[in-house]
Protein backbone atom coordinates (compact mmCIF):
# COMPACT_ATOMS: atom_id res chain seq x y z
CA UNK A 1 0.00 0.00 0.00
CA UNK A 2 2.68 2.49 1.02
CA UNK A 3 4.74 1.69 -2.14
CA UNK A 4 1.65 2.20 -4.33
CA UNK A 5 0.99 5.58 -2.73
CA UNK A 6 4.60 6.58 -3.20
CA UNK A 7 4.78 5.43 -6.84
CA UNK A 8 1.47 7.07 -7.76
CA UNK A 9 2.64 10.32 -6.19
CA UNK A 10 5.95 10.10 -8.07
CA UNK A 11 4.16 9.64 -11.39
CA UNK A 12 1.70 12.47 -10.64
CA UNK A 13 4.51 14.90 -9.86
CA UNK A 14 6.47 13.84 -12.96
CA UNK A 15 3.37 14.32 -15.13
CA UNK A 16 2.94 17.95 -13.98
CA UNK A 17 6.62 18.89 -14.48
CA UNK A 18 5.72 21.71 -16.91
CA UNK A 19 3.50 23.41 -14.31
CA UNK A 20 5.90 23.08 -11.37
CA UNK A 21 7.79 26.28 -12.24
CA UNK A 22 4.90 28.20 -10.61
CA UNK A 23 4.76 25.95 -7.53
CA UNK A 24 6.41 26.85 -4.19
CA UNK A 25 4.92 24.20 -1.85
CA UNK A 26 3.53 20.70 -2.26
CA UNK A 27 0.98 19.58 0.32
CA UNK A 28 0.89 15.78 0.58
CA UNK A 29 -2.12 14.07 2.20
CA UNK A 30 0.18 11.43 3.68
CA UNK A 31 3.89 11.04 4.34
CA UNK A 32 4.06 8.18 1.83
CA UNK A 33 2.69 10.52 -0.84
CA UNK A 34 5.28 13.06 0.35
CA UNK A 35 8.05 10.48 -0.16
CA UNK A 36 6.98 9.93 -3.77
CA UNK A 37 6.68 13.67 -4.38
CA UNK A 38 10.13 14.29 -2.90
CA UNK A 39 11.81 11.64 -5.07
CA UNK A 40 10.15 13.04 -8.19
CA UNK A 41 11.24 16.59 -7.32
CA UNK A 42 14.76 15.32 -6.59
CA UNK A 43 14.92 13.52 -9.98
CA UNK A 44 13.77 16.75 -11.66
CA UNK A 45 16.37 18.78 -9.73
CA UNK A 46 13.60 20.77 -7.99
CA UNK A 47 13.91 19.52 -4.38
CA UNK A 48 15.65 22.73 -3.26
CA UNK A 49 13.15 25.12 -4.87
CA UNK A 50 9.88 23.43 -3.88
CA UNK A 51 9.00 22.70 -0.21
CA UNK A 52 6.89 19.74 0.87
CA UNK A 53 4.46 19.54 3.82
CA UNK A 54 3.18 16.07 4.67
CA UNK A 55 0.63 14.50 7.01
CA UNK A 56 0.77 11.58 9.47
CA UNK A 57 4.01 12.14 11.41
CA UNK A 58 5.05 8.47 11.36
CA UNK A 59 8.38 7.93 13.13
CA UNK A 60 9.99 5.05 11.22
CA UNK A 61 13.17 5.26 9.13
CA UNK A 62 12.68 7.56 6.15
CA UNK A 63 9.08 8.20 7.21
CA UNK A 64 7.52 11.59 7.96
CA UNK A 65 9.49 12.77 11.02
CA UNK A 66 12.74 11.31 9.63
CA UNK A 67 12.17 13.08 6.29
CA UNK A 68 11.69 16.36 8.19
CA UNK A 69 14.92 15.79 10.13
CA UNK A 70 16.77 15.01 6.87
CA UNK A 71 15.44 18.26 5.35
CA UNK A 72 13.42 16.42 2.69
CA UNK A 73 10.19 17.93 4.08
CA UNK A 74 9.59 21.32 5.66
CA UNK A 75 7.04 19.87 8.06
CA UNK A 76 4.60 17.07 8.68
CA UNK A 77 1.29 17.37 10.56
CA UNK A 78 0.84 14.51 13.01
CA UNK A 79 -2.42 12.56 12.86
CA UNK A 80 -2.61 10.69 16.19
CA UNK A 81 -3.72 7.08 15.71
CA UNK A 82 -5.58 7.11 19.07
CA UNK A 83 -4.51 3.55 19.77
CA UNK A 84 -3.15 4.26 23.24
CA UNK A 85 -6.22 6.30 24.20
CA UNK A 86 -8.60 3.66 22.81
CA UNK A 87 -6.97 0.96 24.94
CA UNK A 88 -7.00 3.27 27.95
CA UNK A 89 -10.70 4.15 27.62
CA UNK A 90 -11.64 0.54 26.81
CA UNK A 91 -9.89 -0.54 30.01
CA UNK A 92 -11.72 2.20 31.96
CA UNK A 93 -15.05 0.99 30.56
CA UNK A 94 -14.30 -2.65 31.41
CA UNK A 95 -13.24 -1.60 34.89
CA UNK A 96 -16.45 0.50 35.08
CA UNK A 97 -14.42 3.58 35.88
CA UNK A 98 -16.30 6.88 35.84
CA UNK A 99 -15.27 9.75 33.60
CA UNK A 100 -15.18 8.06 30.22
CA UNK A 101 -16.29 10.71 27.70
CA UNK A 102 -18.37 10.25 24.55
CA UNK A 103 -15.85 11.79 22.18
CA UNK A 104 -12.20 12.82 22.50
CA UNK A 105 -10.51 15.04 19.92
CA UNK A 106 -6.77 14.28 20.05
CA UNK A 107 -4.10 16.91 19.60
CA UNK A 108 -2.28 17.20 16.27
CA UNK A 109 1.26 18.67 16.16
CA UNK A 110 3.15 20.49 13.40
CA UNK A 111 6.54 18.78 13.36
CA UNK A 112 9.50 20.74 11.99
CA UNK A 113 13.29 20.38 12.22
CA UNK A 114 13.14 22.59 15.34
CA UNK A 115 10.81 20.38 17.40
CA UNK A 116 11.24 16.89 15.88
CA UNK A 117 13.58 15.68 18.67
CA UNK A 118 11.14 16.99 21.34
CA UNK A 119 8.22 15.29 19.54
CA UNK A 120 10.01 11.91 19.43
CA UNK A 121 10.95 12.22 23.13
CA UNK A 122 7.33 13.04 24.05
CA UNK A 123 6.11 9.93 22.23
CA UNK A 124 8.56 7.72 24.11
CA UNK A 125 7.90 9.34 27.51
CA UNK A 126 6.61 6.84 30.06
CA UNK A 127 3.73 8.31 32.10
CA UNK A 128 2.64 6.92 35.44
CA UNK A 129 0.15 8.43 37.85
CA UNK A 130 1.79 8.09 41.26
CA UNK A 131 -1.58 8.95 42.83
CA UNK A 132 -0.18 12.00 44.64
CA UNK A 133 -2.56 14.73 45.71
CA UNK A 134 -3.09 17.34 43.00
CA UNK A 135 -4.08 20.88 43.96
CA UNK A 136 -6.70 22.38 41.63
CA UNK A 137 -7.93 25.95 41.61
CA UNK A 138 -11.49 25.91 40.25
CA UNK A 139 -13.27 29.15 39.24
CA UNK A 140 -17.01 28.36 39.00
CA UNK A 141 -19.27 30.83 37.25
CA UNK A 142 -21.97 30.92 39.94
CA UNK A 143 -25.19 29.20 41.09
CA UNK A 144 -27.58 30.54 38.44
CA UNK A 145 -29.38 27.29 37.63
CA UNK A 146 -30.23 23.79 38.79
CA UNK A 147 -27.80 22.60 36.14
CA UNK A 148 -25.00 24.64 37.72
CA UNK A 149 -25.74 23.24 41.19
CA UNK A 150 -25.51 19.71 39.78
CA UNK A 151 -22.31 20.67 37.98
CA UNK A 152 -20.75 22.00 41.19
CA UNK A 153 -21.76 18.88 43.13
CA UNK A 154 -20.19 16.73 40.42
CA UNK A 155 -16.91 18.68 40.55
CA UNK A 156 -16.70 18.52 44.35
CA UNK A 157 -17.57 14.81 44.57
CA UNK A 158 -15.13 13.85 41.82
CA UNK A 159 -12.31 15.84 43.44
CA UNK A 160 -12.63 13.60 46.50
CA UNK A 161 -12.83 10.46 44.34
CA UNK A 162 -9.71 11.37 42.33
CA UNK A 163 -7.58 12.65 45.27
CA UNK A 164 -7.68 16.29 44.13
CA UNK A 165 -7.31 19.11 46.69
CA UNK A 166 -9.97 21.53 45.42
CA UNK A 167 -9.72 25.30 45.95
CA UNK A 168 -13.22 26.24 44.80
CA UNK A 169 -14.27 29.81 44.03
CA UNK A 170 -17.87 30.84 43.18
CA UNK A 171 -17.77 34.05 41.07
CA UNK A 172 -21.51 34.76 41.16
CA UNK A 173 -21.53 35.60 37.42
CA UNK A 174 -18.65 38.11 37.73
CA UNK A 175 -15.76 37.89 35.25
CA UNK A 176 -13.81 40.26 37.48
CA UNK A 177 -14.09 37.79 40.35
CA UNK A 178 -13.10 34.90 38.09
CA UNK A 179 -9.98 36.74 36.94
CA UNK A 180 -9.13 37.57 40.57
CA UNK A 181 -9.54 33.88 41.43
CA UNK A 182 -7.21 32.84 38.58
CA UNK A 183 -4.57 35.29 39.92
CA UNK A 184 -5.03 33.98 43.45
CA UNK A 185 -4.56 30.40 42.25
CA UNK A 186 -1.34 31.46 40.49
CA UNK A 187 -0.08 33.04 43.74
CA UNK A 188 -0.91 29.83 45.59
CA UNK A 189 1.07 27.83 42.99
CA UNK A 190 -1.73 25.31 42.32
CA UNK A 191 -0.94 22.41 39.99
CA UNK A 192 -3.78 23.20 37.60
CA UNK A 193 -6.40 25.92 37.13
CA UNK A 194 -9.89 25.08 35.88
CA UNK A 195 -12.35 27.74 34.75
CA UNK A 196 -16.02 27.66 33.76
CA UNK A 197 -15.98 31.15 32.15
CA UNK A 198 -19.02 33.41 32.47
CA UNK A 199 -18.28 34.84 29.00
CA UNK A 200 -16.03 33.85 26.08
CA UNK A 201 -13.73 36.87 25.84
CA UNK A 202 -11.56 39.08 28.06
CA UNK A 203 -9.32 36.34 29.48
CA UNK A 204 -6.04 36.81 27.61
CA UNK A 205 -4.09 38.71 30.29
CA UNK A 206 -4.96 36.37 33.16
CA UNK A 207 -4.38 33.26 31.05
CA UNK A 208 -1.01 34.60 29.87
CA UNK A 209 -0.03 35.07 33.53
CA UNK A 210 -0.95 31.43 34.23
CA UNK A 211 1.07 30.30 31.19
CA UNK A 212 4.06 32.36 32.32
CA UNK A 213 3.74 30.76 35.75
CA UNK A 214 3.81 27.34 34.07
CA UNK A 215 0.32 26.42 35.36
CA UNK A 216 -1.95 24.63 32.85
CA UNK A 217 -5.49 25.95 32.48
CA UNK A 218 -8.41 23.68 31.58
CA UNK A 219 -11.80 25.02 30.41
CA UNK A 220 -14.72 23.18 32.00
CA UNK A 221 -18.28 23.39 30.65
CA UNK A 222 -17.77 26.64 28.74
CA UNK A 223 -15.16 27.89 26.29
CA UNK A 224 -13.09 31.02 25.83
CA UNK A 225 -11.96 32.86 22.71
CA UNK A 226 -8.43 34.29 23.06
CA UNK A 227 -6.26 36.27 20.67
CA UNK A 228 -3.12 34.33 21.59
CA UNK A 229 -3.15 30.59 20.80
CA UNK A 230 -2.54 27.77 23.30
CA UNK A 231 -3.47 29.69 26.46
CA UNK A 232 -5.63 26.76 27.57
CA UNK A 233 -4.87 23.05 27.46
CA UNK A 234 -8.22 21.31 26.96
CA UNK A 235 -11.94 21.98 26.86
CA UNK A 236 -14.18 19.48 28.65
CA UNK A 237 -17.87 19.99 28.05
CA UNK A 238 -20.77 19.86 25.65
CA UNK A 239 -21.26 20.63 22.00
CA UNK A 240 -23.52 23.67 22.42
CA UNK A 241 -23.86 24.21 18.67
CA UNK A 242 -25.26 20.69 18.29
CA UNK A 243 -27.61 21.24 21.22
CA UNK A 244 -29.07 24.27 19.41
CA UNK A 245 -29.42 22.26 16.19
CA UNK A 246 -31.11 19.40 18.07
CA UNK A 247 -33.67 21.79 19.57
CA UNK A 248 -34.73 23.14 16.18
CA UNK A 249 -34.62 19.69 14.54
CA UNK A 250 -37.03 18.45 17.24
CA UNK A 251 -39.38 21.38 16.50
CA UNK A 252 -39.16 20.73 12.75
CA UNK A 253 -39.86 17.02 13.20
CA UNK A 254 -42.52 17.22 15.92
CA UNK A 255 -44.44 20.50 15.60
CA UNK A 256 -46.00 20.65 12.15
CA UNK A 257 -46.73 24.19 10.99
CA UNK A 258 -50.47 24.88 11.32
CA UNK A 259 -50.11 28.36 9.84
CA UNK A 260 -47.92 30.25 7.41
CA UNK A 261 -45.57 31.58 10.07
CA UNK A 262 -44.99 29.68 13.32
CA UNK A 263 -43.82 32.30 15.84
CA UNK A 264 -40.90 31.36 18.13
CA UNK A 265 -39.91 33.27 21.28
CA UNK A 266 -36.27 32.66 22.33
CA UNK A 267 -35.11 32.88 25.96
CA UNK A 268 -31.33 33.30 25.79
CA UNK A 269 -28.67 32.67 28.44
CA UNK A 270 -26.26 35.43 29.45
CA UNK A 271 -24.79 37.55 26.64
CA UNK A 272 -21.34 36.46 25.50
CA UNK A 273 -21.40 33.03 27.14
CA UNK A 274 -20.44 30.16 24.82
CA UNK A 275 -23.67 28.20 25.48
CA UNK A 276 -25.75 31.27 24.68
CA UNK A 277 -23.89 32.17 21.50
CA UNK A 278 -23.60 28.61 20.21
CA UNK A 279 -27.10 27.37 21.12
CA UNK A 280 -28.38 30.45 19.31
CA UNK A 281 -26.22 29.80 16.23
CA UNK A 282 -26.96 26.08 16.12
CA UNK A 283 -30.71 26.70 16.36
CA UNK A 284 -30.55 29.39 13.65
CA UNK A 285 -28.59 27.05 11.34
CA UNK A 286 -31.51 24.59 11.19
CA UNK A 287 -34.16 27.32 11.41
CA UNK A 288 -33.05 28.83 8.11
CA UNK A 289 -33.95 25.52 6.42
CA UNK A 290 -37.49 25.78 7.88
CA UNK A 291 -39.33 28.70 6.18
CA UNK A 292 -42.53 28.21 8.20
CA UNK A 293 -40.84 29.03 11.51
CA UNK A 294 -39.59 32.44 12.63
CA UNK A 295 -38.04 33.83 15.82
CA UNK A 296 -40.22 36.84 16.50
CA UNK A 297 -38.81 37.77 19.94
CA UNK A 298 -35.45 37.00 21.56
CA UNK A 299 -34.23 38.21 24.94
CA UNK A 300 -31.39 37.46 27.38
CA UNK A 301 -32.67 35.67 30.48
CA UNK A 302 -29.23 34.87 31.95
CA UNK A 303 -30.13 31.21 32.50
CA UNK A 304 -32.25 32.09 35.57
CA UNK A 305 -35.83 31.08 36.50
CA UNK A 306 -36.75 34.61 37.56
CA UNK A 307 -35.61 36.23 34.33
CA UNK A 308 -37.28 33.60 32.17
CA UNK A 309 -40.52 34.42 34.01
CA UNK A 310 -39.97 38.19 33.69
CA UNK A 311 -39.45 38.00 29.91
CA UNK A 312 -42.80 36.28 29.40
CA UNK A 313 -44.56 38.73 31.77
CA UNK A 314 -43.08 41.64 29.83
CA UNK A 315 -44.04 40.11 26.48
CA UNK A 316 -47.62 39.57 27.71
CA UNK A 317 -47.74 43.16 29.00
CA UNK A 318 -46.72 44.55 25.59
CA UNK A 319 -48.37 42.11 23.20
CA UNK A 320 -51.50 40.05 22.71
CA UNK A 321 -50.11 36.53 23.14
CA UNK A 322 -49.31 35.20 19.64
CA UNK A 323 -46.36 32.87 20.27
CA UNK A 324 -46.55 29.25 19.11
CA UNK A 325 -43.20 27.95 20.42
CA UNK A 326 -40.77 28.93 23.18
CA UNK A 327 -37.09 27.91 22.78
CA UNK A 328 -35.29 28.32 26.11
CA UNK A 329 -31.51 28.00 26.33
CA UNK A 330 -31.95 26.24 29.67
CA UNK A 331 -34.57 24.57 31.86
CA UNK A 332 -34.64 27.23 34.56
CA UNK A 333 -35.77 29.91 32.13
CA UNK A 334 -38.31 27.51 30.61
CA UNK A 335 -39.74 26.74 34.07
CA UNK A 336 -39.96 30.44 34.90
CA UNK A 337 -41.77 30.99 31.60
CA UNK A 338 -44.18 28.16 32.43
CA UNK A 339 -45.11 29.85 35.71
CA UNK A 340 -45.74 33.18 33.95
CA UNK A 341 -47.90 31.51 31.28
CA UNK A 342 -50.01 29.65 33.85
CA UNK A 343 -50.54 32.88 35.80
CA UNK A 344 -51.93 34.39 32.59
CA UNK A 345 -54.27 31.52 31.81
CA UNK A 346 -52.16 30.18 28.93
CA UNK A 347 -51.60 26.40 29.05
CA UNK A 348 -47.87 25.63 28.63
CA UNK A 349 -47.14 22.57 26.51
CA UNK A 350 -50.53 22.87 24.82
CA UNK A 351 -51.34 26.50 23.84
CA UNK A 352 -47.62 27.04 23.35
CA UNK A 353 -44.99 24.32 22.86
CA UNK A 354 -41.85 24.66 24.95
CA UNK A 355 -38.37 23.26 24.23
CA UNK A 356 -35.43 23.73 26.59
CA UNK A 357 -31.82 22.61 27.06
CA UNK A 358 -30.24 20.82 30.06
CA UNK A 359 -32.79 18.01 30.75
CA UNK A 360 -32.66 18.31 34.54
CA UNK A 361 -34.99 16.30 36.73
CA UNK A 362 -37.19 19.41 37.09
CA UNK A 363 -37.54 19.52 33.30
CA UNK A 364 -38.52 15.86 33.27
CA UNK A 365 -41.19 16.59 35.90
CA UNK A 366 -42.54 19.41 33.71
CA UNK A 367 -42.63 16.99 30.75
CA UNK A 368 -44.46 14.39 32.84
CA UNK A 369 -47.04 17.11 33.62
CA UNK A 370 -47.27 18.02 29.93
CA UNK A 371 -46.01 21.58 30.52
CA UNK A 372 -42.70 21.12 28.71
CA UNK A 373 -42.50 19.28 25.38
CA UNK A 374 -38.79 18.59 24.83
CA UNK A 375 -35.54 18.78 26.79
CA UNK A 376 -32.20 18.64 24.95
CA UNK A 377 -29.59 17.20 27.29
CA UNK A 378 -26.51 19.15 28.39
CA UNK A 379 -24.70 16.93 30.85
CA UNK A 380 -23.49 18.80 33.99
CA UNK A 381 -21.74 15.73 35.44
CA UNK A 382 -18.31 16.82 34.24
CA UNK A 383 -16.51 16.10 37.49
CA UNK A 384 -15.23 12.63 36.71
CA UNK A 385 -14.04 13.26 33.12
CA UNK A 386 -12.42 16.49 34.29
CA UNK A 387 -10.56 14.95 37.22
CA UNK A 388 -9.50 11.96 35.15
CA UNK A 389 -8.14 14.23 32.42
CA UNK A 390 -6.30 16.36 35.00
CA UNK A 391 -4.71 13.32 36.63
CA UNK A 392 -3.61 12.11 33.18
CA UNK A 393 -2.18 15.54 32.36
CA UNK A 394 -0.24 15.87 35.62
CA UNK A 395 1.15 12.35 35.15
CA UNK A 396 2.55 13.49 31.79
CA UNK A 397 -0.02 12.16 29.29
CA UNK A 398 -0.74 14.43 26.36
CA UNK A 399 -4.11 16.13 26.80
CA UNK A 400 -6.74 15.88 24.04
CA UNK A 401 -7.85 19.18 22.52
CA UNK A 402 -11.51 18.51 23.44
CA UNK A 403 -13.37 16.01 25.59
CA UNK A 404 -17.09 15.94 24.76
CA UNK A 405 -19.73 14.47 27.05
CA UNK A 406 -22.56 12.12 26.07
CA UNK A 407 -25.95 13.81 25.40
CA UNK A 408 -29.42 12.89 24.14
CA UNK A 409 -32.78 14.51 23.33
CA UNK A 410 -35.83 13.70 25.51
CA UNK A 411 -39.50 14.57 25.08
CA UNK A 412 -42.75 14.14 26.98
CA UNK A 413 -43.38 10.71 25.39
CA UNK A 414 -40.54 9.13 27.38
CA UNK A 415 -40.36 11.40 30.46
CA UNK A 416 -42.46 9.19 32.77
CA UNK A 417 -40.27 6.13 32.11
CA UNK A 418 -36.97 7.94 32.57
CA UNK A 419 -37.49 10.53 35.30
CA UNK A 420 -36.48 8.21 38.13
CA UNK A 421 -33.29 7.30 36.30
CA UNK A 422 -32.07 10.88 36.04
CA UNK A 423 -28.69 11.47 37.69
CA UNK A 424 -29.28 15.23 38.02
O1 LIG B 1 -22.88 26.36 30.60
C1 LIG B 1 -24.00 25.53 30.68
C2 LIG B 1 -25.23 26.33 30.98
O2 LIG B 1 -25.00 27.16 32.13
C3 LIG B 1 -26.47 25.48 31.30
O3 LIG B 1 -27.21 25.11 30.17
C4 LIG B 1 -27.21 26.42 32.19
O4 LIG B 1 -28.26 25.83 32.92
C5 LIG B 1 -26.09 26.95 33.06
O5 LIG B 1 -26.46 28.05 33.74
Amino acid sequence: MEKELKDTAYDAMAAMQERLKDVDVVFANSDYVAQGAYEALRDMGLEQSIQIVGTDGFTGEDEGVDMVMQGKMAATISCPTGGREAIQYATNILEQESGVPKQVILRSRTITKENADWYLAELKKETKDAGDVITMGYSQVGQESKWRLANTRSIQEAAREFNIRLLFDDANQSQEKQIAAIRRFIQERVDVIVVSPVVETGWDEALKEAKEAGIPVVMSDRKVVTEEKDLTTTYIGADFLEEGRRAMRWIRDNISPYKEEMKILELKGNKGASPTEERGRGFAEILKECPNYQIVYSEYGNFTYEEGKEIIETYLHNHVWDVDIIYAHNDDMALGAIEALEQSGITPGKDVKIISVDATREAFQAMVEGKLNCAVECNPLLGAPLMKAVRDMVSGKEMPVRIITEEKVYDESMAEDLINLRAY
Side-chain angles (χ1 to χ4, degrees):
M1 170 66 171
E2 293 81 0
K3 188 171 179 329
E4 270 169 44
L5 277 173
K6 196 170 127 183
D7 293 348
T8 307
Y10 185 102
D11 297 343
M13 289 301 293
M16 63 174 88
Q17 182 163 3
E18 285 311 304
R19 292 154 51 197
L20 291 177
K21 59 184 180 309
D22 302 325
V23 171
D24 300 306
V25 180
V26 170
F27 172 54
N29 272 359
S30 91
D31 287 341
Y32 297 120
V33 169
Q35 279 176 354
Y38 171 76
E39 288 176 10
L41 290 174
R42 181 201 56 200
D43 294 352
M44 291 186 273
L46 296 171
E47 79 280 12
Q48 294 306 321
S49 56
I50 295 180
Q51 302 267 24
I52 300 175
V53 174
T55 321
D56 290 331
F58 290 148
T59 56
E61 191 180 338
D62 221 16
E63 290 187 331
V65 176
D66 199 14
M67 284 181 70
V68 167
M69 295 172 92
Q70 294 172 38
K72 293 179 178 176
M73 266 208 291
T76 182
I77 313 302
S78 72
C79 176
T81 61
R84 179 164 49 176
E85 290 79 5
I87 298 290
Q88 173 75 52
Y89 285 124
T91 308
N92 298 145
I93 291 167
L94 289 173
E95 290 169 355
Q96 295 180 334
E97 265 199 39
S98 51
V100 180
K102 172 187 88 172
Q103 185 185 4
V104 175
I105 299 172
L106 299 176
R107 196 176 299 275
S108 172
R109 299 277 184 188
T110 301
I111 302 154
T112 62
K113 246 186 177 169
E114 289 70 29
N115 67 0
D117 286 327
W118 169 84
Y119 179 73
L120 292 172
E122 281 294 296
L123 286 182
K124 293 190 182 89
K125 192 164 69 173
E126 276 306 310
T127 63
K128 178 140 181 51
D129 182 351
D132 300 340
V133 172
I134 294 170
T135 299
M136 174 190 289
Y138 193 107
S139 170
Q140 179 62 296
V141 63
Q143 305 174 54
E144 73 284 358
S145 63
K146 293 284 191 299
W147 186 98
R148 184 66 57 198
L149 300 179
N151 176 247
T152 293
R153 271 196 308 277
S154 168
I155 298 295
Q156 293 171 332
E157 287 165 7
R160 288 191 288 275
E161 182 189 345
F162 283 80
N163 198 19
I164 304 257
R165 175 173 166 259
L166 186 65
L167 309 182
F168 190 87
D169 179 90
D170 176 340
N172 193 23
Q173 313 298 319
S174 158
Q175 180 174 31
E176 195 181 335
K177 286 184 182 169
Q178 289 201 283
I179 290 172
I182 291 169
R183 289 183 166 135
R184 202 166 51 251
F185 297 146
I186 294 170
Q187 291 301 321
E188 293 176 28
R189 298 296 314 155
V190 299
D191 299 308
V192 59
I193 293 173
V194 182
V195 183
S196 181
V198 62
V199 290
E200 288 182 320
T201 56
W203 303 94
D204 286 68
E205 286 319 304
L207 295 178
K208 275 184 211 163
E209 291 165 24
K211 187 171 185 176
E212 283 151 16
I215 300 176
V217 178
V218 173
M219 286 294 137
S220 168
D221 163 36
R222 295 184 180 178
K223 287 175 274 189
V224 292
V225 175
T226 56
E227 274 157 41
E228 186 173 311
K229 277 179 55 185
D230 297 334
L231 289 180
T232 63
T233 308
T234 290
Y235 164 67
I236 295 182
D239 184 345
F240 299 131
L241 267 176
E242 183 57 21
E243 290 168 354
R245 296 187 192 107
R246 287 174 176 169
M248 184 57 215
R249 286 192 201 114
W250 189 89
I251 291 171
R252 175 197 66 195
D253 300 341
N254 294 277
I255 306 176
S256 304
Y258 41 79
K259 58 185 184 181
E260 187 64 25
E261 181 190 71
M262 298 290 282
K263 295 179 187 292
I264 300 173
L265 182 150
E266 182 182 27
L267 300 173
K268 296 189 288 188
N270 62 287
K271 186 174 173 58
S274 50
T276 307
E277 303 308 318
E278 294 186 12
R279 285 171 187 163
R281 283 207 304 272
F283 189 89
E285 191 183 299
I286 307 299
L287 179 64
K288 69 174 183 294
E289 301 162 3
C290 306
N292 291 105
Y293 301 85
Q294 186 76 31
I295 293 179
V296 294
Y297 191 82
S298 181
E299 192 52 79
Y300 293 106
N302 295 320
F303 291 119
T304 70
Y305 182 101
E306 298 70 22
E307 292 176 83
K309 182 167 179 257
E310 276 165 31
I311 290 171
I312 300 302
E313 289 167 343
T314 305
Y315 190 88
L316 282 163
H317 182 262
N318 300 327
H319 306 77
V320 173
W321 186 255
D322 60 351
V323 170
D324 304 293
I325 298 165
I326 292 175
Y327 166 47
H329 287 191
N330 85 326
D331 295 342
D332 298 68
M333 294 189 292
L335 295 170
I338 286 169
E339 183 181 344
L341 291 166
E342 290 180 315
Q343 287 170 350
S344 303
I346 298 168
T347 310
K350 307 269 183 300
D351 299 340
V352 52
K353 300 297 185 184
I354 305 177
I355 293 87
S356 76
V357 184
D358 281 349
T360 56
R361 179 182 285 270
E362 290 78 6
F364 270 76
Q365 185 54 41
M367 287 194 284
V368 167
E369 295 166 6
K371 297 178 181 178
L372 179 70
N373 305 96
C374 170
V376 174
E377 187 172 37
C378 175
N379 190 337
L381 308 182
L382 301 176
L386 169 66
M387 303 304 168
K388 175 165 184 36
V390 163
R391 289 218 70 94
D392 285 351
M393 174 176 64
V394 171
S395 67
K397 281 195 181 70
E398 178 170 76
M399 289 296 281
V401 173
R402 263 188 88 171
I403 297 177
I404 300 173
T405 47
E406 179 73 52
E407 298 177 337
K408 296 183 174 68
V409 179
Y410 301 98
D411 66 31
E412 51 196 318
S413 67
M414 59 192 74
E416 187 93 49
D417 296 339
L418 296 177
I419 187 167
N420 292 326
L421 304 176
R422 295 303 293 161
Y424 64 93

